[in-house]
């Protein structure tokens, strides 16, 4: 069995056990094929969510963007237990990635940064993040949010007048999915333009005679609903009137003679009322049918109820207690007698806040270069406090950088389960009297889930195209036969990662020609070299695939334009950035080395190690090997020098080619090492007995390591493919000066920081407390501290406080 097959089998067992241990099914569930298939699918299609807390949302090119990744399972929001690697990208308005990073998801390591080069153009950018496993599903599940980057070096580009042309768009969404003639339905609608929802408009529904049958206007964010009963034989259109007499006309969705209508409402007793109507103009008399209503929250089945229908024109109700269906975005799906989904409706249950976090500063007003202390306190309603992992950013609020984007709670409970942008998601969690109605309108205008019912009902489980990275990075390659360019199976392949220490990995291709190398502790951007195994002839080639996702960003953002009135502000921000880069530029180029990196090569400790500087330095490799490397014999064959390795076990020289590495790269012709300059070699390791790694057995190992570790100065074999590859991102040090002494306080070096603090890994103690200290800069203004976090029970929390610097 190939390594890939073993890995996948172990993964499936892991996923099923993980899902079963976390599943919550209603005790009153009635089994049915659709229900069973949803359960089976959910057991395999483990869902993940990522949330990125960035230090800000507005940046000047030349600054550093800092981020922290929160990783949870998609169903219960508990800390994720599958993937160990995340991918982060910044994408421009053309959907081209401009910056990319690979980040560890292990505790204490799930944070990173991007230096925003001055080559970036002014505009709206998308920062998105995902795991390799998440690539099996719709890209709309990737974490995404908009950031703004302004290039102040190229001022002609930065200061562009805002576009004035902005065409509104109107869309209609019948509740449940379709309109049916002679049945009244609730119809949700959105009125938007590129800036967001439009509220100052009014719409009218006209029939084919031009008579007004309904009117409507948005309630909030350009979203609303109205009741509408289409009549057979009539046609309808909507006219929306905007200020200034501008009108937009759009045809109403088609109404069908037969079909199903599902309507949801909530009573004052905490119950959901589901009204189901069926219209079937069958000439065969009354048609009996058994309907199924399935209610699931983030793929966890909560309720399944069967409805027996005996009349063609059915009108009935189901009542379900709200506490049975979970919190957040809940899906109600109605199936007909053939297990086909015929209606679907989303419903939002606002989560109760069982835990709260506050942050307070020790003063309200500070002078420049003064110590600031923040105190964090967490309180939980029921059980004792569990430690909360938090990240904190403190930055200046100005004309373009406001108080921040959606909180982690708003993302986890709402926006992560909807495909499109949600304007001001915090409103739906507020105590405003209309927030509940507005949330229901929002749900009416979304009919979307993390899967396709057709795939589930057909039992389609071929969605696994990308394996989860459970232990480390999976470097994926493709092996093809150069004679026909077709995938080649069962071909031994090598992957080498240059550097000190080097990495060397072996794997065999599967039936699709795919090959997987599980790489651990690979940090920084380094060169990786792939090739077919040395025992394989030259009929194959190996291509290393890009680990980042293909395809465009799932959400669309408007082009960002600045006006002339912001010129003075942008000049000041540009000065701040340039001054900081001049006086503290070295600090942002400092990276922390990982605490633990295995410095041993794949073979561990060698039987014999030769540090060439401990011996007399010779000018040819032949002299080095002849003089003091006792296990290797240099002979002559057909007039050419050859190497022989003595096996201490067999007490004879190996027959056949040796396995020789230079900086972790296997040489197809090991005798060529004799032509290499020995003055570049730092050490030589020798294993004189047979060595087995993966599917390969080698006649010993002879490994040469240079001082630089970069496979330099050796003629590249045509079979080798060398590319630059993203390893795990090293952690950049956040620059935060200290002004404790009089000498430090009186330094003439300017301090123009706009971000005073970035602390990505804060943990509250047993009493729910934590504290932070930092210093104000020379820039006066209003500052905000933003904290985001989550505890081990999956409770997301946020906290804010503001203060002034004079």
């Amino acid at each position: 069995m190939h390594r890939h097959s073993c890995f996948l089998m172990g993964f499936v067992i892991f996923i099923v056990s993980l899902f079963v241990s976390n599943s919550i099914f209603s005790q009153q569930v009635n089994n049915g094929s659709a229900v069973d298939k949803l359960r089976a699918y959910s057991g395999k299609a483990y869902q993940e969510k990522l949330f990125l807390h960035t230090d800000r949302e507005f940046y000047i090119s030349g600054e550093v963007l800092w981020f922290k990744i929160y990783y949870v399972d998609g169903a219960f929001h508990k800390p994720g237990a599958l993937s160990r690697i995340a991918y982060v990208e910044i994408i421009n308005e053309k959907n081209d990635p401009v910056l990319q990073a690979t980040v560890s998801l292990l505790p204490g390591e799930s944070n990173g940064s991007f230096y925003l080069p001055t080559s970036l153009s002014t505009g709206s950018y998308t920062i998105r993040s995902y795991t390799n496993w998440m690539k099996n599903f719709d890209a709309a599940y990737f974490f995404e949010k908009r950031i703004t980057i302004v290039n102040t070096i190229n001022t002609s580009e930065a200061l562009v007048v805002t576009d004035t042309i902005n065409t509104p768009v109107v869309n209609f969404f019948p509740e449940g999915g379709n309109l049916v003639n002679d049945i009244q339905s609730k119809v949700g609608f959105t009125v938007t333009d590129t800036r967001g929802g439009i509220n100052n408009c009014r719409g009218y529904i006209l029939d084919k005679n031009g008579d007004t049958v309904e009117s409507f206007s948005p309630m909030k964010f350009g979203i609303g609903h109205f009741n509408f009963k289409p009549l057979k034989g009539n046609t309808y259109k909507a006219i929306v009137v905007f200020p200034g007499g501008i009108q937009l006309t759009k045809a109403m969705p088609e109404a069908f003679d037969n079909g199903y209508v599902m309507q949801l409402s909530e009573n004052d007793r905490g119950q959901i009322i589901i009204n189901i109507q069926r219209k079937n103009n069958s000439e065969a008399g009354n048609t009996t049918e058994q309907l199924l209503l399935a209610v699931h929250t983030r793929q966890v089945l909560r309720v399944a109820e069967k409805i027996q229908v005996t009349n063609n024109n059915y009108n009935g109700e189901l009542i379900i207690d709200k506490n049975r269906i979970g919190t957040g975005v809940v899906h109600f799906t109605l199936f007909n007698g053939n297990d086909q989904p015929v209606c679907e409706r989303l419903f939002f249950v606002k989560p109760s806040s069982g835990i709260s976090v506050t942050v307070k500063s020790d003063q309200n007003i500070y002078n420049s270069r003064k110590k600031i202390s923040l105190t964090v306190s967490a309180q939980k309603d029921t059980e004792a406090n569990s430690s909360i992992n938090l990240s904190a950013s403190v930055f200046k609020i100005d004309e373009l950088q406001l108080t921040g984007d959606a909180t982690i709670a708003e993302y986890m409970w709402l926006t992560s389960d909807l495909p499109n942008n949600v304007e001001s998601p915090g409103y739906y969690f507020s105590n405003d009297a209309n927030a509940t109605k507005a949330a229901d309108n929002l749900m009416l205008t979304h009919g979307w889930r993390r899967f396709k019912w057709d795939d589930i009902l057909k039992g389609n489980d071929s969605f696994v195209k990308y394996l989860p990275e459970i232990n480390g990075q999976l470097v994926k390659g493709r092996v093809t036969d150069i004679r026909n360019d077709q995938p080649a199976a069962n071909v031994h392949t090598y992957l080498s990662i240059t550097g000190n220490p080097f990495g060397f990995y072996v794997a065999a291709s599967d039936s699709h020609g795919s090959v997987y190398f599980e790489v651990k502790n690979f940090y920084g951007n380094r060169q990786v070299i792939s090739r077919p195994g040395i025992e394989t002839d030259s009929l194959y080639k190996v291509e290393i695939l890009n680990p980042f996702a293909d395809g465009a960003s799932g959400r669309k953002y408007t082009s960002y334009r600045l006006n002339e009135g912001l010129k003075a502000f942008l000049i000041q921000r540009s000065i701040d950035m340039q001054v900081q880069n001049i006086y503290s530029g070295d600090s942002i180029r400092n990276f922390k080395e990982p605490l633990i990196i295995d410095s041993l090569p794949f073979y561990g400790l060698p039987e014999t190690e030769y540090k060439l500087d401990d011996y007399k330095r010779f000018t040819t490799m032949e002299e080095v090997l002849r003089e003091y490397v006792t296990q290797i014999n240099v002979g002559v064959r057909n007039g050419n020098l050859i190497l022989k390795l003595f096996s201490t076990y067999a007490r004879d020289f190996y027959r056949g080619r040796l396995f020789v590495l230079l900086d972790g790269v296997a040489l197809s012709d090991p005798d060529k090492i004799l032509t290499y300059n020995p003055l570049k070699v730092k050490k030589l390791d020798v294993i004189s007995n047979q060595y087995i790694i993966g599917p390969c057995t080698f006649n010993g190992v002879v490994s040469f390591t240079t001082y630089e570790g970069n496979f330099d100065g050796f003629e590249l074999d045509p079979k080798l493919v060398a590319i630059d590859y993203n390893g795990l991102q090293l952690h950049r040090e956040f620059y935060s000066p200290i002004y404790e002494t009089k000498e430090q306080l009186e330094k003439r070096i300017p301090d123009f920081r706009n971000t005073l603090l970035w602390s990505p890994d804060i943990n509250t103690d047993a009493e729910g407390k934590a504290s932070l200290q930092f210093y104000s800069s020379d820039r006066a203004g209003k500052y905000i501290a933003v904290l985001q976090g989550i505890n081990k029970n999956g409770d997301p929390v946020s906290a804010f406080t503001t203060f002034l610097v004079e």
Side-chain angles (χ1 to χ4, degrees), residues 587-768:
S587 66
I588 65 173
R589 287 185 284 271
N590 289 335
F591 294 87
K592 298 178 183 177
E593 292 293 331
L595 295 177
I596 300 177
I597 290 185
D598 189 357
S599 60
L600 295 176
F602 68 94
Y603 47 77
L605 292 172
E607 293 175 9
T608 310
E609 179 184 70
Y610 297 92
K611 296 181 179 179
L612 271 59
D613 285 339
D614 294 343
Y615 300 85
K616 179 180 178 180
R617 278 298 197 173
F618 295 100
T619 57
T620 67
M621 192 64 74
E622 178 187 359
E623 293 177 288
V624 170
L625 299 177
R626 285 186 185 277
E627 291 298 326
Y628 51 81
V629 181
T630 58
Q631 299 95 328
I632 298 178
N633 181 39
V634 180
V636 179
R637 180 186 298 159
N638 299 327
N640 297 317
L641 294 176
I642 61 170
L643 299 179
K644 292 183 178 181
L645 179 64
F646 186 80
S647 169
T648 56
Y649 178 78
R651 303 185 64 82
D652 195 3
F653 289 98
Y654 284 110
R655 302 182 187 279
R657 67 173 71 185
L658 296 181
F659 184 64
V660 177
L661 300 167
L662 176 62
D663 288 335
V665 180
L667 305 182
S668 58
D669 184 356
D671 299 330
K672 281 191 175 182
I673 196 66
L674 292 166
T675 66
Y676 194 70
N677 183 359
L679 298 180
K680 293 183 176 182
V681 177
K682 180 180 180 180
K683 72 184 184 95
L684 166 63
D685 292 342
V686 178
I687 296 177
S688 57
N689 291 311
Q690 280 193 335
Y691 189 87
I692 299 174
I693 177 172
C696 298
T697 301
F698 300 126
N699 292 329
V701 178
V702 181
S703 176
F704 296 83
T705 302
T706 66
Y707 288 95
E708 301 298 328
N710 56 7
F711 195 64
D712 179 49
F714 200 85
E715 182 180 355
L716 202 64
D717 189 304
K719 302 185 190 72
L720 301 182
V721 176
I723 63 171
D724 291 330
Y725 199 88
N726 283 314
L728 296 177
Q729 189 183 71
L730 293 170
H731 289 164
R732 193 189 311 266
E733 294 185 9
F734 179 79
Y735 173 65
S736 183
I738 297 175
Y739 299 115
E740 288 282 3
T741 66
K742 182 179 180 181
E743 180 182 0
Q744 292 171 333
L745 189 62
E746 294 178 351
K747 278 185 178 180
R748 298 178 63 85
I749 297 176
D751 182 356
F752 290 170
R753 289 174 298 135
N754 287 274
T755 298
L756 302 182
L757 176 71
W758 170 252
S759 184
D761 200 30
I762 307 162
N763 290 292
T764 58
D765 60 20
E767 297 180 353

Side-chain angles (χ1 to χ4, degrees), residues 322-577:
K322 195 163 66 170
N323 58 15
R324 293 178 58 192
I325 63 176
T327 54
V329 178
V330 184
H331 292 75
F332 290 75
T333 307
L334 181 68
F335 296 86
N336 65 14
N338 297 320
D339 271 340
Q340 296 173 328
V342 291
C343 290
E344 186 163 73
R345 168 74 144 84
L346 274 60
F347 188 83
F348 183 66
V349 179
K350 180 181 174 182
S352 59
S353 179
I355 187 169
S356 61
V357 173
T358 59
V359 57
K360 294 182 179 180
S361 57
D362 57 337
Q363 297 176 209
N364 294 324
I365 302 175
Y366 300 88
N367 291 328
S368 62
R369 305 195 179 195
K370 292 300 181 182
K371 188 174 184 177
I372 302 172
S373 295
L374 298 181
T375 301
V376 181
S377 300
Q379 293 183 341
K380 194 167 179 61
D381 290 345
T382 54
E383 59 192 74
N385 280 305
S386 60
S387 178
I388 304 175
N389 182 250
L390 298 156
S391 51
S393 177
V394 181
F395 55 90
K396 184 182 175 184
I397 304 173
D398 51 37
E399 287 89 337
L400 289 173
Q401 178 57 63
L402 302 177
T403 57
D405 207 351
T407 68
I408 186 172
E410 294 158 10
Y411 179 78
M412 293 296 179
W413 293 116
L414 180 62
T415 58
S416 63
D417 292 318
L418 300 176
N420 300 314
N421 299 325
V422 177
E423 187 175 346
S424 301
Y427 174 77
Y428 302 104
F429 294 80
S430 69
N431 294 322
D432 187 274
N434 292 318
T436 300
K437 294 180 180 179
D440 199 53
N441 286 334
L442 181 69
M443 296 298 103
L444 272 172
T445 58
H446 289 80
W448 181 83
R449 69 197 75 81
R450 289 176 176 264
F451 52 83
K452 295 179 180 179
W453 275 114
D454 286 346
D455 291 341
I456 292 178
L457 297 175
K458 293 175 183 176
N460 185 359
D461 59 358
S462 61
F463 63 88
V464 181
K465 296 180 175 64
Y466 301 95
L467 298 177
E469 294 173 301
I470 296 175
N471 298 310
Q473 285 179 267
L474 279 179
V475 179
K476 183 179 179 181
R478 181 187 297 118
V479 182
T480 54
D481 191 320
I482 62 175
R483 294 167 295 183
N484 53 23
D485 202 32
Q486 293 299 308
N490 201 29
V491 176
H492 293 174
T493 56
Y494 303 156
L495 180 78
S496 302
I497 302 176
T498 60
N500 286 316
F502 67 79
F504 179 75
Y505 306 89
V506 176
S509 58
D510 62 17
S511 58
H512 302 289
S514 297
V515 60
Y516 298 85
F517 304 94
E518 190 172 70
V519 176
K520 297 181 181 180
N521 298 324
F522 174 17
Y523 287 88
N525 293 346
R526 291 157 67 179
Q527 186 181 60
V528 299
I529 299 175
S530 60
R531 58 156 300 154
I534 57 174
E535 76 284 357
T536 305
D537 61 24
S538 59
L539 298 179
Y540 305 103
K541 65 178 180 180
V542 184
E543 175 190 7
I544 297 300
L545 304 181
N546 184 353
F548 290 90
D550 297 327
S553 165
R555 290 169 167 81
K556 302 299 181 183
Y557 300 107
T558 60
S559 298
Y560 197 85
R561 297 292 183 266
L562 301 171
N563 58 57
E564 195 71 24
L566 295 169
K567 183 174 182 179
F569 163 73
L570 290 172
I571 290 174
Q572 184 62 65
R573 282 294 301 268
S574 182
I575 292 172
D576 292 350
M577 176 271 295

